[in-house]
Structure formats: structure tokens, C-alpha cells
């Protein structure tokens, strides 16, 4: 009886461990890059009641008779199956499609992860959520803070758009020379253009005034041609003469304004020509400096990846991180899109590979297994109670 009771105890312990693993899986169902665990059981040693015997001349062989002493934990596996990818749209979110791992530096130790939610720190270095540096082919990957945009290719190459080295100083020096010349030229150009616009306006006014004078003169001529006996002739002549005098005054003013505008054009032409003589070569030089120092696509580095001959042998350290163990094999370095490393997808994150339906099913199995082992203990206890009662 004691033997069956102790076998039930081993079952309780094992199913409790299985429930612990299932609970951890479920709690990490939304953890990026999480790899679920699995418990595997095996039987304990068996007590041999009678050994096997070989067949003889008159009797056949007999199998061994053994009584098992319970179960034990064979393994808690980490299953590195691919998790589904979730779109985030964030450039620094990276999902691995394949078997590779990212590397991060924790002091002098290199750790490994599948969680690709990375960030830029104050210095522009690529880090994980806890500030560990992401390892690139040439060390730490840095994106200048002056970069206007960035992207990450499927091979892990980090690109950014920025001015080349020394460009800011060259542009600043060129602007210091060119901007004052440009300001002088723009002012002279505006003065000349305003004067030319004034000439066009004055010419229109002169033309309109000329037509008004012609119209008034025609009216005066018609008044003078009226019959002298017409009583309204004198009034018509007076009115026409007044209108003609006013039109001639307007014409004179328009001619004066035109002359003034033409003089302004003449006066503005000289400074404009002088400013343009300085502006044209300065503009050519400035454009050449800007063309030579324009923002270009540059590489910040390439994210390095690793694979292992036995990823199931990696040791979990918490924080979505793994470290090598005696059975994981050495880290083999490489880059995404190379054979065996998979590829990177920017703007995506790998979700946990936990299947809730499977976990709930395993939870029910573990619960029933635990319950069945308690029945073994209680049943054994009842039998022992009966044996004790025999003494009465």
C-alpha cells in the first residue's frame, strides 16, 4: 500500500510541475518573442518481483514481473516554433521569420532574444527596452540624431538619410557668404520690378487719358458745329470745353507719372545690374556646395544574428532573453536572408507561440491526472485503515 501511495505522490508532483509550466505559458500569451514550454514525464525504476526465465525443453519462457514505483519529470522542453507576426508600423520593431536570434549586450555578456521591439537612446544607439545594446556586424549600431529618416532592410541593414560628414559646416560657410549677396540682389530686383510695374500702370493711364481727351475734343467740335441760332449752343460749348480741360489735366498728370516711373526704372537698373553681377557667380558657387553636400542614403550598420545547433538547449534568463548552455551548442553568427538565419521584417513583431486552446486542453488533462493521483493516495489510505482495523 505504501508503494502505491508514494507512486501517487510522484504523480502529484509531476502534474503540479505541468500546471506550473502551463500557467507560465498562458501568462505569456501576449509576450513578444516568447517560446512556450512543455513537460515530458517518464517512469521511475521498477521493482522486480520475479525475473525472466528462458524457455526450456518442457516449458516455455516467463516474462519478468515488475512493479513500477511512480513517475518522474523527464524534461521541460522549450518549443521554438514560429510565432505569428503582428503589424505595428514602427520601423524599429523587427520580427524574425526563421530560426535566427537577435544579440544584445548585457555588460560583457551576450544574450539572445526573439523579441525585436527595439529603440533609440539619447545618443542614437540601437537598444532593447532595458537599454542593452543591439549587436551589429561592427559593434553598436548608431543612427545620428540629425537623420531625417531611417529604414531597416530584410537583411538587417540599417539605413538613414542624412548629410555627409562635414556637410553642415560647408553649408553654413557657403550660406554666410551667399545670403547677404542674395538679400541685396533680391532687394534691387524688387525695386526694379516695382518700377517697371509702375511704368506699365502709367502707360495704361496715359493711354486712357489720351482717349478721354479725344472724346472731349470731339464733343467740343460737335458743340461748335451747332447752329448759332440754337439757344443751347453756348451751354454745350462751355460744358465741352470744361470736360476737355479736365481730360487734358489728367493726361498731363499721367504723362508726368509715366516720366517719373521711367526715371525710377533707369535709377533702379544700375544697382540691379551691379547686384546681379555679384549674385550670379555666388549662386553658382552656392548651388555647387549644396549639390555636393545634399542628404544621401547612408548605412548605420547591419544587425548580426545567431543560430544554434540545439536552440532547445538555451537557458531562459527572463526578460525574453536566452543564454547559451552546455547543450545548446556554440552560437553561429550570420545575417538575415542567409541560409538558416531567416529574414527580418521591419514594422512587425513576433507574437508568442502559445496556443490557448492547446494550453487549456493540457490544463484539463493535468487537472484530471492530479485528481486521479489523489484518488490513489486516498484509496491506499482506506485500505491501510482496513488493515489496521483487522487487529480489533
Amino acid at each position: 500500500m505504501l508503494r502505491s501511495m508514494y507512486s501517487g505522490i510522484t504523480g502529484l508532483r509531476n502534474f503540479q510541475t505541468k500546471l506550473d509550466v502551463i500557467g507560465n505559458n498562458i501568462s505569456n500569451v501576449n509576450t513578444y518573442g516568447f517560446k512556450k514550454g512543455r513537460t515530458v514525464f517518464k517512469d521511475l525504476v521498477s521493482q522486480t518481483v520475479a525475473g525472466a526465465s528462458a524457455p526450456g525443453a518442457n516449458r516455455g519462457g516467463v516474462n519478468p514481473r515488475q512493479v513500477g514505483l511512480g513517475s518522474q519529470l523527464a524534461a521541460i522542453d522549450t518549443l521554438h516554433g514560429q510565432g505569428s507576426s503582428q503589424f505595428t508600423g514602427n520601423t524599429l520593431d523587427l520580427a524574425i521569420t526563421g530560426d535566427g536570434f537577435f544579440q544584445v549586450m548585457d555588460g560583457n555578456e551576450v544574450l539572445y532574444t526573439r523579441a525585436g521591439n527595439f529603440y533609440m537612446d539619447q545618443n542614437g544607439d540601437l537598444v532593447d527596452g532595458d537599454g542593452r545594446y543591439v549587436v551589429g556586424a561592427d559593434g553598436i549600431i548608431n543612427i545620428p540624431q540629425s537623420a531625417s529618416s531611417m529604414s531597416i532592410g530584410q537583411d538587417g541593414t540599417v539605413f538613414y538619410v542624412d548629410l555627409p560628414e562635414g556637410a553642415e559646416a560647408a553649408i553654413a560657410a557657403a550660406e554666410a557668404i551667399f545670403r547677404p549677396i542674395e538679400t541685396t540682389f533680391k532687394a534691387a530686383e524688387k525695386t526694379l520690378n516695382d518700377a517697371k510695374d509702375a511704368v506699365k500702370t502709367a502707360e495704361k493711364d496715359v493711354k486712357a487719358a489720351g482717349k478721354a481727351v479725344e472724346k472731349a475734343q470731339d464733343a467740343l467740335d460737335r458743340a461748335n458745329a451747332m447752329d448759332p441760332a440754337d439757344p443751347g449752343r453756348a451751354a454745350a460749348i462751355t460744358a465741352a470745353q470744361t470736360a476737355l480741360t479736365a481730360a487734358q489735366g489728367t493726361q498731363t498728370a499721367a504723362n508726368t507719372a509715366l516720366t517719373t516711373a521711367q526715371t525710377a526704372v533707369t535709377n533702379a537698373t544700375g544697382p540691379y545690374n551691379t547686384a546681379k553681377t555679384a549674385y550670379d557667380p555666388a549662386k553658382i558657387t552656392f548651388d555647387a556646395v549644396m549639390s555636393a553636400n545634399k542628404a544621401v542614403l547612408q548605412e548605420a550598420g547591419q544587425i548580426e544574428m545567431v543560430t544554434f545547433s540545439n536552440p532547445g538547449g538555451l537557458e531562459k534568463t527572463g526578460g525574453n532573453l536566452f543564454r547559451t548552455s552546455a547543450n545548446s551548442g556554440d552560437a553561429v553568427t550570420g545575417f538575415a536572408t542567409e541560409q538558416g538565419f531567416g529574414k527580418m521584417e521591419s514594422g512587425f513583431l513576433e507574437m508568442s507561440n502559445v496556443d490557448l486552446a492547446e494550453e487549456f486542453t493540457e490544463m484539463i488533462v493535468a487537472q484530471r491526472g492530479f485528481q486521479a493521483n489523489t484518488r490513489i493516495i486516498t484509496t491506499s489510505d482506506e485500505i491501510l485503515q482496513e488493515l489496521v482495523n483487522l487487529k480489533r
Side-chain angles (χ1 to χ4, degrees):
M1 292 303 103
L2 289 176
R3 185 163 51 197
S4 62
M5 187 176 292
Y6 284 119
S7 294
I9 291 174
T10 62
L12 290 178
R13 290 173 179 167
N14 291 335
F15 280 111
Q16 180 60 59
T17 301
K18 182 179 181 70
L19 284 171
D20 291 340
V21 173
I22 292 172
N24 183 61
N25 288 343
I26 294 175
S27 67
N28 285 284
V29 68
N30 286 324
T31 300
Y32 294 126
F34 177 79
K35 301 304 176 184
K36 66 181 179 181
R38 179 186 66 183
T39 52
V40 180
F41 301 146
K42 63 182 179 180
D43 64 336
L44 280 170
V45 295
S46 297
Q47 180 180 356
T48 301
V49 176
S53 60
N58 298 319
R59 182 172 293 184
V62 178
N63 293 328
R65 298 166 189 160
Q66 294 178 298
V67 178
L69 300 179
S71 63
Q72 62 180 323
L73 193 65
I76 300 178
D77 300 326
T78 300
L79 303 181
H80 286 269
Q82 180 77 40
S84 60
S85 295
Q86 178 184 8
F87 176 74
T88 66
N90 182 13
T91 302
L92 292 177
D93 287 341
L94 300 175
I96 300 174
T97 304
D99 298 329
F101 290 81
F102 299 110
Q103 303 176 85
V104 294
M105 292 294 299
D106 189 7
N108 294 324
E109 183 182 13
V110 179
L111 299 175
Y112 311 98
T113 182
R114 292 278 296 191
N117 51 310
F118 298 134
Y119 309 89
M120 283 198 321
D121 66 6
Q122 183 180 7
N123 298 323
D125 296 326
L126 192 62
V127 297
D128 68 2
D130 293 317
R132 303 178 188 90
Y133 294 112
V134 178
V135 177
D138 299 317
I140 297 173
I141 296 175
N142 179 270
I143 298 95
Q145 295 177 339
S146 57
S148 59
S149 64
M150 64 167 297
S151 62
I152 301 177
Q154 289 189 336
D155 63 350
T157 303
V158 181
F159 299 97
Y160 65 93
V161 176
D162 195 14
L163 298 173
E165 185 177 356
E168 291 187 11
I171 292 174
E175 285 187 334
I177 296 173
F178 174 70
R179 295 307 179 193
I181 297 174
E182 181 186 40
T183 300
T184 302
F185 170 73
K186 293 297 183 183
E189 184 180 46
K190 184 177 184 306
T191 300
L192 179 59
N193 289 337
D194 289 346
K196 289 180 177 179
D197 290 342
V199 167
K200 291 179 181 179
T201 300
E203 288 175 342
K204 292 179 181 178
D205 293 342
V206 168
K207 186 176 181 181
K211 290 182 177 180
V213 169
E214 291 178 0
K215 184 178 180 181
Q217 185 63 55
D218 290 341
L220 180 59
D221 291 342
R222 287 195 300 273
N224 288 326
M226 292 174 65
D227 187 353
D230 190 336
R233 180 174 181 274
I237 292 174
T238 301
Q241 185 62 57
T242 301
L244 177 61
T245 302
Q248 289 173 337
T250 301
Q251 185 180 42
T252 300
N255 287 329
T256 301
L258 176 60
T259 301
T260 301
Q262 290 172 337
T263 301
V265 169
T266 302
N267 293 336
T269 301
Y272 169 80
N273 290 335
T274 301
K276 185 171 177 59
T277 300
Y279 173 80
D280 287 343
K283 182 69 165 61
I284 293 174
T285 301
F286 179 74
D287 288 345
V289 172
M290 293 298 292
S291 177
N293 294 280
K294 62 183 179 182
V296 294
L297 185 67
Q298 303 180 58
E299 286 189 20
Q302 188 174 11
I303 298 174
E304 192 173 60
M305 299 179 65
V306 296
T307 58
F308 298 91
S309 58
N310 177 29
L314 292 171
E315 178 185 344
K316 289 184 177 182
T317 65
N320 286 340
L321 299 172
F322 300 87
R323 64 161 56 99
T324 56
S325 71
N327 195 42
S328 63
D330 295 331
V332 179
T333 59
F335 301 98
T337 69
E338 293 180 358
Q339 182 67 32
F341 289 90
K343 65 179 180 179
M344 290 187 198
E345 294 290 349
S346 177
F348 292 84
L349 284 174
E350 182 185 6
M351 298 296 292
S352 167
N353 65 351
V354 173
D355 183 344
L356 279 179
E358 179 184 354
E359 297 302 321
F360 285 144
T361 302
E362 290 295 323
M363 185 188 302
I364 294 171
V365 171
Q367 179 187 8
R368 293 306 181 191
F370 191 94
Q371 189 178 42
N373 278 275
T374 62
R375 293 292 183 271
I376 293 175
I377 295 173
T378 57
T379 301
S380 298
D381 178 59
E382 290 174 0
I383 294 174
L384 286 172
Q385 183 65 38
E386 292 296 327
L387 289 174
V388 170
N389 291 337
L390 284 177
K391 186 170 184 270
R392 297 179 185 178

